[in-house]
Amino acid sequence: MRLPHFPTLDRYLLAQLLPPFFVSLGAVLAALLLERLLVLFDDLAAEGSSIATLVSLLTDLLPHYLGLALPAALCVSVFLIIRRMSDNNEIDALMASGVSLMRIARPYMWSGVLLGFGSILLYGYIQPVARYDFRSGFYYAAHSGWAPHLQAGMFATTSGDSMLTADRVSRNGTVLHEVFIRQREPNGAVRIITAHRGLVTSVPSLKQTRLDLWDGLIVYDPRDDSHKATQTRFSHSMRSFDQSHDTAAFRTRGIDERELTLVELATRLDASHQSDTEHNDHMITRSSLRAELDFRLARALAIPFIPPLAVALAIGAKRRRPIIGLIALAIILIGFDHTLQFGHGLIATGRMKGFYAIWLPEILFCSLCLGSIFRRSRGSWRRRKAIPLNRPAQAS
């Protein structure tokens, strides 16, 4: 089976695209995740969760921010490539040989088409499941039972028959000094534990809180007829406390329309006969389902039209600063995205139909992208064949 043959120009343009695309994708993802990372770090630190929980929640957030970063990375990378080629007179040389801007933008448009199909999978299936997983993981992290954080002199009930206190604490309540623990066993025996130093850590996988103690003493009183208490000194001992097991299970997926896949949205929309005026806490209105479905499809279908707009705005006067075109490109894309979000809200509340709220701005945006590159091409896109550089001399 023969592999598909790509023209030399397409191979060159695609090779130029990949490095700035991945660099832009990483930079945009880092910028988007940084703020959420700090918020999650503060929240999970207050609940005593581990680094593994933080990494798991960030992984669930990645599809959401990836849906924002992919179009932005494609737009920035195409703009930078075409601007560099324009400054190096490569665009002028190609257009002088009969290659139109539409022909130059074609491999980038096909890249946008492939990215659009991938975005349908991302917006329609990966993001809804990841959003539910994030909410579920954050719920269990916030309701994981006894939080391993203490204050100096505070008495903490680690279980029904166990009490813990420490004279001094450090490192946000996880390092303890002069620890005192009193435990009562089911048979009535009492165990007293003292230690000079302790370390509290949470083990979410086992739903336990681990307490490591150093340089301590254990006094065991059986509370029986023998009346003989025993003492045991230790250099290191480990105790575990079961976290609360009565945490209510998290709800099932699908109570929010943003947690439904495209197939589930279409199925519920087809089967739902609920009026938008009814109030039911356990069902989603038809207008909300329609708004979410149109919003996802519109965002995915707009991606193939971003490269032509980036190509058109990257071509400009030699003396003009490239930042002007990049700012204009950012304003157009951000304005379009906010318009879709505003239209999503209008459809969900039943104030406007989907065609006027989402699809009309979609058509205008796509027309603007194609019209801008048609205007920049100055008519050279109509030429089917390259103009030969050396024409035969005409007979006198």
Side-chain angles (χ1 to χ4, degrees), residues 305-319:
F305 296 91
I306 294 178
L309 180 63
V311 171
L313 293 179
I315 301 295
K318 298 294 183 180
R319 297 180 180 179

Side-chain angles (χ1 to χ4, degrees), residues 33 36-37 40-41 44-45 49-63 130 133-134 137-138 141 204:
L33 284 172
R36 184 57 67 91
L37 172 64
L40 278 178
F41 189 82
L44 295 180
S49 299
S50 62
I51 296 297
T53 303
L54 176 64
V55 174
S56 176
L57 292 178
L58 286 179
T59 304
D60 294 332
L61 280 176
L62 191 61
D133 291 341
F134 171 79
F138 191 81

